[in-house]
Structure formats: C-alpha cells, structure tokens
Amino acid sequence: MTGPDHEFAYAGNISIRSWIMQRCHGWTVSDIKQLSPAEQWRFYTILSFLTAGYIRLDKDHQASPATPGSNVLPVELAQPFIGIAAGLGMPPVMTYTAYVLINYMLKDPRGPLTRENLQSIFRFYELPDEEHFRQVHVCCEIAAAAAIRAAFTALEAARSGDRAVVLTSLKAMQVGITEIMVEMGKMRKGCDPKVFFQPIRIPLGGWPERMGGVIFKGVPGMPEPYISGGASGTQTTTIPVLDAALGIGHVDGNAEFMADQVAKMPPAHRLFLAKIISMAKDGGNLQTFAMSTKDSHIINAYAACVDAMHGFRKAHQAFVSTYILRQMPSAEQSQPAAPQGTGDRALLGS
C-alpha cells in the first residue's frame, strides 16, 4: 500500500499486518473527535485502506485466501474505524467513496481537473493498472457532472412547464451520458483484465459472508461477524440520479441490494439522490412530462437519453464479463452459485 508520503509506503521488509499495526499505533477515538471534517474524511480513507489491507492481503502483498481467524480486526484498527465511520455516517468497510471519490489529488493544484493532472492519494499496489483503473472512474464522475446538472434543471423546468429548457436539458443529459461511456471505454488502454481480477479486485471486496465477514475486536454492539460487501461502482450517485429523473425503473429483486449501495454513499449524496427522487415523484419524471407534451422533439430527446443509458449498461455488462467472468478459473465458472462482485452481488455475464 502506498500514500502521499513515506509513512504510508509499504517497503515489504516485514509482514503487511505488522506494518499496518505500526501505522495505527496509538490512534484513539478521542483523537478522531479533534479532527476537522476534511481530516475525518481523509482518516476514513486511510482506515479503509489499512483495514482492507490487514484482512485481505498477506505478507507477500498478494491476495490472501480466507483462513480461520484471519477475519479478526484488532482493537487498534477496529475502534478508530468504527468511530470515524459512525461520525461520518458511513459503513466500516472499503467503499467507492474512499477508493475513488475522495482518493485523488491534482498534481498541479492550479491546473485543470483532467486525467493528466490526476493522481491517487492512496493505493494498494505500485501498479499502473490500479492507478489507471481509479483514474477512469474519477473521469467518469467528472463527465457525469454535466448530465446530473442537466437532470436537475430538466426536472425543475418540467415542474414549471418550460418545454424549451426541458428540451435543452435532455440534450445535455444525453451528451453527458455519452461522455461517461467514452471515459469508461478507456479502461482497456491501461488496466489489464488479468491484473484487475487479481490482485486489484481482491482488497476491494469488503467483508462478505462467503469469507466469514469481519470481527471488530473490542467494539461492543457490533455484529459478530459483521457482513458487508465492499467498494462498487453502484455506490456512485450518478446512475440512480439519472434513472430517477428519466423514470427508469428496475426489477424488485434489486431493491435490497440498491438500498445497501445507497447506504454506502456519503450522506450529502444520499440527500441529493432523495431530493431528485422526490422531485421526480412530485412533479413527474421526465418520461411522464415528455409523453404528456406530445412534442416529437422532446420525446425524441428523451428517447435518446434512455438509449444512452441502455448503452451505458451494455458497456458496463461487457466490462464485468471481460474483467471478472472471463478471468475466473473454468471450475469456478461452472459452479451453480453465481460469481460475486466487490459489492457482494451476483454477477451476470453478457
């Protein structure tokens, strides 16, 4: 694991667990309360990496198999992680927020928010593939900003009956969604599927039931074991926001999983998603508005957005197939149980 300074650079001369315990020596919950909000988020990221590393990586810095007793998180890590997570309203597990959303910096602080100027703050490996993997996700989020802004504007305009603004906003949404796909399509240029499958994917998997979950030692009231999926792209607010605005529904079987993913979003993001859902219900989503206008321009613009979302989902399904399903040993592929993603959800191939 590496960070922005020598303190969080693992040299490999001792076991990964010993190295982690040296980093967290002396941390207390009372110390956490003295941190500023920005410092608390940084500390949450640090602990997300350290706890994932402790449980999921072995002394040789490779993926560690599940072995009896290996899922116990010592009190020195458990107490501060539970404390910081509870204070921020986040779960005590590696999340998309910690791995992607707040885990980058600008090489030139005065420079633009572009791929060339992005750099990870923390990472598990000194692998260009991992850096590229995270950069692609950050760039997808950057590209999504325009689509999200347009969705909000479109819903407000639909509420007031402003057809011109709705039409312009729908076109902007379609462009933004397409830009997300363009960025996602760059994954293969710098992240090898085999390298992603192992080792990059392993420490992102959280505390799933199939691996025995995790036991937070010295933390009263925590389930033993604590079960939770890890970091997943489904924890971004982007897609749920666009779905809600466009009136795109999903099968009921996804409801429980999506509720768990929403719970892993930052509180402010959850509130924004709830606001968009409320706006779409109270004022009518964009599908309802478009159909009610009987305006071919608006209907076609709406349909273009839905087509773009469908294209995004097909592209993501292809990613899952290439980066996970096809990398699995043939024996695992033939097992009756569906393979799991890092968010602890069954995966389906394309």
Side-chain angles (χ1 to χ4, degrees):
M1 291 186 291
T2 62
D5 52 49
H6 180 70
E7 182 183 0
F8 285 99
Y10 174 60
N13 56 330
I14 59 175
S15 74
I16 187 70
R17 289 193 167 186
S18 296
W19 177 86
I20 288 173
M21 293 307 295
Q22 289 179 5
R23 303 282 81 70
C24 68
H25 180 71
W27 288 349
T28 65
V29 176
S30 59
D31 292 333
I32 295 171
K33 296 179 180 179
Q34 308 303 317
L35 300 175
S36 69
E39 289 171 333
Q40 289 184 34
W41 281 109
R42 175 61 61 85
F43 198 40
Y44 175 73
T45 303
I46 291 171
L47 281 165
S48 295
F49 272 81
L50 292 180
T51 54
Y54 188 91
I55 297 295
R56 304 299 293 267
L57 302 177
D58 69 11
K59 65 179 181 179
D60 295 323
H61 209 60
Q62 299 298 318
S64 177
T67 55
S70 66
N71 66 334
V72 178
L73 206 59
V75 64
E76 293 88 346
L77 281 169
Q79 287 187 349
F81 196 24
I82 293 296
I84 194 71
L88 292 172
M90 295 294 290
V93 68
M94 174 59 76
T95 59
Y96 184 79
T97 296
Y99 191 70
V100 174
L101 294 182
I102 58 175
N103 188 32
Y104 69 90
M105 59 190 295
L106 297 180
K107 298 175 185 177
D108 176 4
R110 299 181 180 179
L113 195 59
T114 59
R115 179 187 306 277
E116 294 72 24
N117 198 32
L118 290 175
Q119 178 180 322
S120 296
I121 300 173
F122 300 101
R123 53 192 180 275
F124 287 107
Y125 309 98
E126 286 285 5
L127 292 172
D129 300 76
E130 184 185 11
E131 183 72 6
H132 184 81
F133 174 74
R134 189 183 294 102
Q135 281 186 353
V136 166
H137 281 86
V138 173
C139 289
C140 284
E141 298 294 337
I142 295 170
I148 292 174
R149 191 180 304 114
F152 184 82
T153 302
L155 286 171
E156 285 192 317
R159 181 180 295 181
S160 63
D162 192 331
R163 294 189 180 189
V165 172
V166 169
L167 178 59
T168 301
S169 299
L170 283 170
K171 291 179 178 179
M173 285 179 68
Q174 189 269 330
V175 171
I177 297 166
T178 302
E179 282 300 311
I180 297 172
M181 285 191 288
V182 169
E183 293 298 332
M184 189 167 64
K186 297 176 182 178
M187 186 67 77
R188 285 298 296 268
K189 293 181 180 179
C191 182
D192 187 294
K194 289 183 173 60
V195 177
F196 169 76
F197 187 76
Q198 185 143 334
I200 294 174
R201 182 180 67 99
I202 303 305
L204 303 182
W207 327 126
E209 185 174 5
R210 67 183 182 280
M211 293 192 70
V214 69
I215 295 175
F216 291 97
K217 192 173 181 179
V219 183
M222 288 296 293
E224 291 191 7
Y226 175 79
I227 306 295
S228 177
S232 169
T234 51
Q235 292 157 21
T236 175
T237 320
T238 297
I239 304 304
V241 161
L242 297 177
D243 279 344
L246 292 168
I248 297 176
H250 299 280
V251 295
D252 292 340
N254 287 335
E256 183 177 351
F257 172 77
M258 285 311 302
D260 179 65
Q261 300 310 290
V262 170
K264 291 183 169 73
M265 298 175 185
H269 291 206
R270 288 179 232 154
L271 288 173
F272 180 70
L273 174 58
K275 180 176 179 63
I276 292 294
I277 292 173
S278 177
M279 291 174 68
K281 286 182 177 179
D282 296 343
N285 59 55
L286 297 175
Q287 179 188 42
T288 302
F289 180 83
M291 296 302 109
S292 69
T293 64
K294 295 183 172 57
D295 184 320
S296 61
H297 296 291
I298 293 177
I299 292 172
N300 289 339
Y302 170 81
C305 288
V306 175
D307 287 344
M309 290 295 287
H310 178 66
F312 167 82
R313 286 190 160 89
K314 285 189 66 176
H316 186 265
Q317 189 178 37
F319 170 87
V320 170
S321 178
T322 299
Y323 278 79
I324 300 180
L325 299 178
R326 294 178 188 172
Q327 306 310 316
M328 296 175 63
S330 56
E332 289 186 48
Q333 292 184 36
S334 62
Q335 289 179 355
Q340 305 290 305
T342 52
D344 204 24
R345 181 192 192 189
L347 300 174
L348 298 176
S350 58

